[in-house]
Amino acid sequence: MRIMMMTAAVLAASAPVALSAKALPTPQYLMKAGASDMFEIESAKVMMASANPKIHDFAQMMVTDHNQSTADVKAAAMQAGLHPAPPHLSPKQTSDLAALRAAKGPARDALYVRQQKMAHTEALMVQSDYATGGSTAPLRMTASKIVPVVKHHIALLGTM
């Protein structure tokens, strides 16, 4: 039964994503992508102390993967001659991070997984939309490389 649930989660994560009507303009894409990575990294750092090995390992992967996607987006922006402003967390991301820091034990683990599912769903939409309709070619290519990574994260979250 668990294997079937895991397989279903992997299949769902690899299914095509319903795209929004239009990709964000490049400056908004850069800000959203940067804020998304920042939230993933900061929340993962909170979770590095989790006693749950699956949560700890996932959090470590978030730090690695989201540092990489941040570097890739920055490099693509520079290649396109853009100099994006440093990202900042949205009010919701700031609130979610504060709630995560305040929670303890298994309740923190459960909150982290819920937050990550929502954050990754939003990140997938932003990246998918830009990959298919963004106006800056190097960023479109980078977004298309990020999409499968985000899908993989969503699949893993489905097993937690």
mmCIF file of all heavy atoms in Angstrom, residues 46-47 49-50 55 99-113 115:
data_model
loop_
_atom_site.group_PDB
_atom_site.id
_atom_site.type_symbol
_atom_site.label_atom_id
_atom_site.label_comp_id
_atom_site.label_asym_id
_atom_site.label_seq_id
_atom_site.Cartn_x
_atom_site.Cartn_y
_atom_site.Cartn_z
ATOM 1 N N VAL A 46 16.031 25.931 9.892
ATOM 2 C CA VAL A 46 15.296 25.713 11.155
ATOM 3 C C VAL A 46 15.140 24.216 11.402
ATOM 4 O O VAL A 46 15.244 23.750 12.528
ATOM 5 C CB VAL A 46 13.916 26.411 11.122
ATOM 6 C CG1 VAL A 46 13.060 26.029 12.324
ATOM 7 C CG2 VAL A 46 14.070 27.928 11.031
ATOM 8 N N MET A 47 14.925 23.453 10.317
ATOM 9 C CA MET A 47 14.612 22.033 10.442
ATOM 10 C C MET A 47 15.834 21.129 10.519
ATOM 11 O O MET A 47 15.701 19.933 10.734
ATOM 12 C CB MET A 47 13.731 21.598 9.269
ATOM 13 C CG MET A 47 12.410 22.335 9.211
ATOM 14 S SD MET A 47 11.494 22.332 10.772
ATOM 15 C CE MET A 47 11.164 20.591 10.978
ATOM 16 N N ALA A 49 17.718 20.660 12.825
ATOM 17 C CA ALA A 49 17.802 20.047 14.152
ATOM 18 C C ALA A 49 16.712 19.011 14.389
ATOM 19 O O ALA A 49 16.616 18.453 15.478
ATOM 20 C CB ALA A 49 17.715 21.134 15.227
ATOM 21 N N SER A 50 15.889 18.733 13.384
ATOM 22 C CA SER A 50 14.804 17.766 13.555
ATOM 23 C C SER A 50 15.358 16.391 13.903
ATOM 24 O O SER A 50 16.355 15.939 13.340
ATOM 25 C CB SER A 50 13.972 17.667 12.279
ATOM 26 O OG SER A 50 12.988 16.657 12.412
ATOM 27 N N ILE A 55 12.999 14.242 7.670
ATOM 28 C CA ILE A 55 12.863 15.703 7.667
ATOM 29 C C ILE A 55 14.247 16.342 7.582
ATOM 30 O O ILE A 55 14.479 17.262 6.798
ATOM 31 C CB ILE A 55 12.105 16.203 8.919
ATOM 32 C CG1 ILE A 55 10.672 15.651 8.949
ATOM 33 C CG2 ILE A 55 12.141 17.715 9.016
ATOM 34 C CD1 ILE A 55 9.732 16.244 7.936
ATOM 35 N N ALA A 99 6.208 31.084 12.465
ATOM 36 C CA ALA A 99 5.413 29.983 13.024
ATOM 37 C C ALA A 99 6.249 28.714 13.125
ATOM 38 O O ALA A 99 6.154 27.968 14.112
ATOM 39 C CB ALA A 99 4.171 29.736 12.159
ATOM 40 N N LEU A 100 7.079 28.469 12.129
ATOM 41 C CA LEU A 100 7.940 27.288 12.139
ATOM 42 C C LEU A 100 8.950 27.362 13.277
ATOM 43 O O LEU A 100 9.177 26.381 13.989
ATOM 44 C CB LEU A 100 8.655 27.176 10.795
ATOM 45 C CG LEU A 100 9.393 25.881 10.523
ATOM 46 C CD1 LEU A 100 8.437 24.699 10.504
ATOM 47 C CD2 LEU A 100 10.141 25.980 9.196
ATOM 48 N N ARG A 101 9.523 28.534 13.483
ATOM 49 C CA ARG A 101 10.490 28.702 14.578
ATOM 50 C C ARG A 101 9.834 28.522 15.941
ATOM 51 O O ARG A 101 10.476 28.054 16.882
ATOM 52 C CB ARG A 101 11.138 30.078 14.492
ATOM 53 C CG ARG A 101 12.139 30.192 13.373
ATOM 54 C CD ARG A 101 12.803 31.553 13.343
ATOM 55 N NE ARG A 101 13.831 31.592 12.315
ATOM 56 C CZ ARG A 101 13.942 32.544 11.410
ATOM 57 N NH1 ARG A 101 13.104 33.566 11.402
ATOM 58 N NH2 ARG A 101 14.903 32.496 10.506
ATOM 59 N N ALA A 102 8.562 28.888 16.054
ATOM 60 C CA ALA A 102 7.852 28.795 17.336
ATOM 61 C C ALA A 102 7.397 27.373 17.647
ATOM 62 O O ALA A 102 7.245 27.010 18.814
ATOM 63 C CB ALA A 102 6.649 29.737 17.343
ATOM 64 N N ALA A 103 7.166 26.568 16.629
ATOM 65 C CA ALA A 103 6.681 25.197 16.837
ATOM 66 C C ALA A 103 7.815 24.308 17.342
ATOM 67 O O ALA A 103 8.991 24.619 17.157
ATOM 68 C CB ALA A 103 6.108 24.641 15.538
ATOM 69 N N LYS A 104 7.452 23.200 17.968
ATOM 70 C CA LYS A 104 8.445 22.279 18.530
ATOM 71 C C LYS A 104 8.103 20.834 18.177
ATOM 72 O O LYS A 104 6.938 20.490 17.989
ATOM 73 C CB LYS A 104 8.495 22.407 20.066
ATOM 74 C CG LYS A 104 8.841 23.802 20.566
ATOM 75 C CD LYS A 104 10.270 24.182 20.252
ATOM 76 C CE LYS A 104 10.584 25.572 20.759
ATOM 77 N NZ LYS A 104 11.309 26.377 19.827
ATOM 78 N N GLY A 105 9.115 19.998 18.119
ATOM 79 C CA GLY A 105 8.955 18.557 17.987
ATOM 80 C C GLY A 105 8.197 18.116 16.751
ATOM 81 O O GLY A 105 8.315 18.726 15.681
ATOM 82 N N PRO A 106 7.401 17.057 16.891
ATOM 83 C CA PRO A 106 6.643 16.520 15.752
ATOM 84 C C PRO A 106 5.669 17.541 15.148
ATOM 85 O O PRO A 106 5.412 17.496 13.942
ATOM 86 C CB PRO A 106 5.883 15.330 16.342
ATOM 87 C CG PRO A 106 6.689 14.918 17.530
ATOM 88 C CD PRO A 106 7.273 16.198 18.075
ATOM 89 N N ALA A 107 5.165 18.461 15.956
ATOM 90 C CA ALA A 107 4.271 19.497 15.423
ATOM 91 C C ALA A 107 5.041 20.395 14.450
ATOM 92 O O ALA A 107 4.500 20.819 13.424
ATOM 93 C CB ALA A 107 3.667 20.322 16.557
ATOM 94 N N ARG A 108 6.302 20.686 14.757
ATOM 95 C CA ARG A 108 7.134 21.484 13.852
ATOM 96 C C ARG A 108 7.367 20.721 12.554
ATOM 97 O O ARG A 108 7.289 21.296 11.469
ATOM 98 C CB ARG A 108 8.467 21.831 14.503
ATOM 99 C CG ARG A 108 9.385 22.601 13.544
ATOM 100 C CD ARG A 108 10.760 22.800 14.098
ATOM 101 N NE ARG A 108 10.769 23.967 14.972
ATOM 102 C CZ ARG A 108 11.816 24.344 15.683
ATOM 103 N NH1 ARG A 108 12.940 23.638 15.651
ATOM 104 N NH2 ARG A 108 11.769 25.405 16.440
ATOM 105 N N ASP A 109 7.660 19.429 12.661
ATOM 106 C CA ASP A 109 7.874 18.617 11.465
ATOM 107 C C ASP A 109 6.641 18.644 10.567
ATOM 108 O O ASP A 109 6.752 18.829 9.353
ATOM 109 C CB ASP A 109 8.207 17.170 11.839
ATOM 110 C CG ASP A 109 9.561 17.022 12.514
ATOM 111 O OD1 ASP A 109 10.359 17.989 12.537
ATOM 112 O OD2 ASP A 109 9.824 15.920 13.035
ATOM 113 N N ALA A 110 5.471 18.456 11.154
ATOM 114 C CA ALA A 110 4.225 18.438 10.379
ATOM 115 C C ALA A 110 3.958 19.804 9.742
ATOM 116 O O ALA A 110 3.540 19.890 8.585
ATOM 117 C CB ALA A 110 3.059 18.025 11.266
ATOM 118 N N LEU A 111 4.209 20.870 10.489
ATOM 119 C CA LEU A 111 4.025 22.216 9.953
ATOM 120 C C LEU A 111 4.986 22.460 8.793
ATOM 121 O O LEU A 111 4.594 23.011 7.755
ATOM 122 C CB LEU A 111 4.246 23.267 11.052
ATOM 123 C CG LEU A 111 4.158 24.733 10.612
ATOM 124 C CD1 LEU A 111 2.775 25.043 10.039
ATOM 125 C CD2 LEU A 111 4.480 25.649 11.797
ATOM 126 N N TYR A 112 6.211 22.033 8.944
ATOM 127 C CA TYR A 112 7.212 22.191 7.886
ATOM 128 C C TYR A 112 6.748 21.503 6.596
ATOM 129 O O TYR A 112 6.805 22.100 5.518
ATOM 130 C CB TYR A 112 8.548 21.619 8.356
ATOM 131 C CG TYR A 112 9.655 21.672 7.319
ATOM 132 C CD1 TYR A 112 10.172 22.887 6.889
ATOM 133 C CD2 TYR A 112 10.198 20.508 6.783
ATOM 134 C CE1 TYR A 112 11.197 22.944 5.946
ATOM 135 C CE2 TYR A 112 11.223 20.553 5.849
ATOM 136 C CZ TYR A 112 11.714 21.768 5.435
ATOM 137 O OH TYR A 112 12.733 21.821 4.502
ATOM 138 N N VAL A 113 6.284 20.284 6.707
ATOM 139 C CA VAL A 113 5.834 19.548 5.518
ATOM 140 C C VAL A 113 4.658 20.275 4.864
ATOM 141 O O VAL A 113 4.635 20.448 3.640
ATOM 142 C CB VAL A 113 5.480 18.084 5.869
ATOM 143 C CG1 VAL A 113 4.796 17.386 4.697
ATOM 144 C CG2 VAL A 113 6.744 17.317 6.280
ATOM 145 N N GLN A 115 3.896 23.478 5.033
ATOM 146 C CA GLN A 115 4.401 24.714 4.427
ATOM 147 C C GLN A 115 5.170 24.416 3.139
ATOM 148 O O GLN A 115 5.045 25.149 2.156
ATOM 149 C CB GLN A 115 5.308 25.463 5.400
ATOM 150 C CG GLN A 115 4.581 26.119 6.547
ATOM 151 C CD GLN A 115 5.543 26.815 7.504
ATOM 152 O OE1 GLN A 115 6.770 26.683 7.415
ATOM 153 N NE2 GLN A 115 4.989 27.575 8.434
#
